Amino acid sequence: KIKGMQTEITGSSGEMSSTIYITLIFILEIYCSCVLVFPIASVFQERKIWNPSPHLPSLSFHAHIKIYLVNAVWMALTLIGGLILLPKAVVGKLLGKGFAVQREAHFVERTTSAICTYVFLVPSVEIDGIENLPPTSEDGTSPAPVYIANHTSLIDLAVVFLLNKRLKWVSKDSVRYLPGVGLIMTLSEHIFIKRAGKNSKSVSNLYEKSNNAIQSGTPMFFFPQGTRKMDSRLPFKDGAFKIAIENESEIVPISINIPVGVWNSWHPINLLWGGRDEKMKIVLTVHKKIQAKKSMDIDELKKKSFDSIYSVLPFYGVEETMTETKKER
């Protein structure tokens, strides 16, 4: 009887293990297949930026295909990189060392960025004022800088990695659930916040994690406009500047100049017949650093940063007031 019971238990355990294994494989298959579905939403999001504006060219059919491919490849590559790093991250978490794969995850992000940019978007990216980039320091002896940039397109998210700096991002909480992208951002330990409503806990978490990163020598990166828009110069919100003032960090303003024809261009297909367009390039301009002090007025700091960033960018539409209402802040 005892032997029979042991055999029965062993059989039940085997069946349970097999069921768990099959379930996990099924969940992984669903998660991976989302790489082909979620980019469709990105196409509609980018379309909302370009097509309604009389100041910008309408997106062609092949532009929509290109947007889809950029997002699908981005998600696929970050998914592959994230799954490779996941075992090491889990072990690090169990040992109380955090995910312990931040550098490797950042390498995946940077490599994916370069592939998507050069393969699908433009033949070259020009970085002006590279001498203004602060040196990398992670010894905690001085507060790390705060990088800020204008936000016009999802392309911004890719090209910033070409600065070759390990940065922490602030992103809305829903991004963590995107296949590949959410996984690699979680492993990179970027900061996620809930933007809907007044979420004081989320905002407090933003400031705490940002301050910790800066004091440990890891720079923070912000799009202070909070959302992307191509034909309007939206005002800067306070968050990035409050963090810079609190830590007395240097602010590094960066201008991202995306050519309006980038999606409609035939790159990289035109390379087949030698049709490389030298004017079709993305330009990143790194401006001189602005030293933030606790005694500084935040509105003056925002205006100085705003003027610096837009001093080299073309003007496509309207410039909204730099003064935000109390409700907007």
Side-chain angles (χ1 to χ4, degrees):
K1 287 184 178 180
I2 294 175
K3 289 183 178 179
M5 291 176 63
Q6 289 176 337
T7 303
E8 186 177 340
I9 292 172
T10 302
S12 299
S13 299
E15 290 179 5
M16 184 177 295
S17 299
S18 178
T19 301
I20 293 174
Y21 175 76
I22 293 172
T23 302
L24 290 176
I25 292 298
F26 176 74
I27 293 173
L28 182 60
E29 287 178 348
I30 294 295
Y31 180 71
C32 293
S33 64
C34 287
V35 167
L36 301 175
V37 178
F38 276 64
I40 297 174
S42 299
V43 173
F44 285 99
Q45 289 177 347
E46 194 73 0
R47 178 185 171 88
K48 286 195 302 184
I49 298 173
W50 297 75
N51 280 3
S53 173
H55 309 287
L56 302 173
S58 296
L59 295 178
S60 63
F61 175 76
H62 77 268
H64 289 79
I65 300 298
K66 186 184 287 191
I67 296 170
Y68 175 85
L69 289 175
V70 167
N71 283 274
V73 170
W74 185 282
M75 290 182 183
L77 293 180
T78 52
L79 176 61
I80 293 170
L83 291 177
I84 292 173
L85 295 176
L86 195 57
K88 181 180 178 181
V90 171
V91 171
K93 199 72 171 176
L94 292 175
L95 294 177
K97 299 180 180 180
F99 288 122
V101 291
Q102 289 186 49
R103 290 183 181 277
E104 295 92 334
H106 177 73
F107 174 78
V108 172
E109 291 173 319
R110 190 170 68 246
T111 303
T112 301
S113 164
I115 292 172
C116 289
T117 300
Y118 294 119
V119 171
F120 295 104
L121 299 175
V122 291
S124 64
V125 174
E126 179 180 307
I127 302 178
D128 294 336
I130 196 170
E131 68 277 2
N132 293 322
L133 284 174
T136 300
S137 173
E138 296 185 13
D139 57 7
T141 55
S142 60
V146 172
Y147 290 77
I148 60 171
N150 59 299
H151 200 13
T152 56
S153 167
L154 63 84
I155 298 172
D156 303 334
L157 304 171
V159 297
V160 165
F161 282 106
L162 301 181
L163 292 171
N164 200 25
K165 291 288 184 179
R166 190 161 74 91
L167 310 165
K168 276 189 180 290
W169 294 75
V170 176
S171 179
K172 57 185 179 181
D173 190 63
S174 58
V175 172
R176 75 165 78 231
Y177 304 109
L178 292 178
V181 176
L183 174 61
I184 205 69
M185 288 189 69
T186 299
L187 297 179
S188 295
E189 299 190 27
H190 293 294
I191 300 171
F192 297 97
I193 61 171
K194 295 179 179 179
R195 296 199 305 184
K198 294 182 178 180
N199 194 318
S200 57
K201 183 178 179 180
S202 185
V203 173
S204 176
N205 181 56
L206 161 65
Y207 288 123
E208 180 182 354
K209 288 190 174 182
S210 297
N211 291 337
N212 289 340
I214 288 172
Q215 290 302 322
S216 66
T218 303
M220 289 295 303
F221 188 95
F222 294 89
F223 291 116
Q225 291 161 318
T227 189
R228 57 183 187 258
K229 205 166 184 179
M230 191 75 172
D231 66 344
S232 297
R233 295 181 172 182
L234 300 176
F236 287 173
K237 299 182 183 299
D238 289 351
F241 302 94
K242 285 183 177 179
I243 291 169
I245 289 174
E246 174 67 24
N247 292 278
E248 295 195 327
S249 296
E250 292 178 331
I251 294 177
V252 185
I254 297 174
S255 303
I256 305 176
N257 187 1
I258 307 292
V260 293
V262 64
W263 289 123
N264 289 330
S265 76
W266 285 98
H267 178 83
I269 298 176
N270 60 358
L271 298 179
L272 296 176
W273 57 80
R276 177 186 174 111
D277 186 356
E278 297 296 340
K279 294 182 180 179
M280 188 58 63
K281 63 182 178 181
I282 295 171
V283 181
L284 303 178
T285 302
V286 184
H287 299 277
K288 291 183 178 180
K289 300 180 286 289
I290 303 171
Q291 179 63 58
K293 297 287 185 182
K294 291 184 178 179
S295 59
M296 296 182 74
D297 178 75
I298 192 168
D299 288 323
E300 290 183 5
L301 185 58
K302 285 162 56 180
K303 186 178 187 308
K304 188 174 183 179
S305 301
F306 184 95
D307 292 343
S308 180
I309 286 174
Y310 281 103
S311 64
V312 297
L313 294 177
F315 185 54
Y316 295 119
V318 297
E319 180 173 332
E320 300 187 18
T321 176
M322 272 295 297
T323 306
E324 297 177 83
T325 64
K326 188 175 183 180
K327 184 178 180 180
E328 287 173 328
R329 289 185 184 178

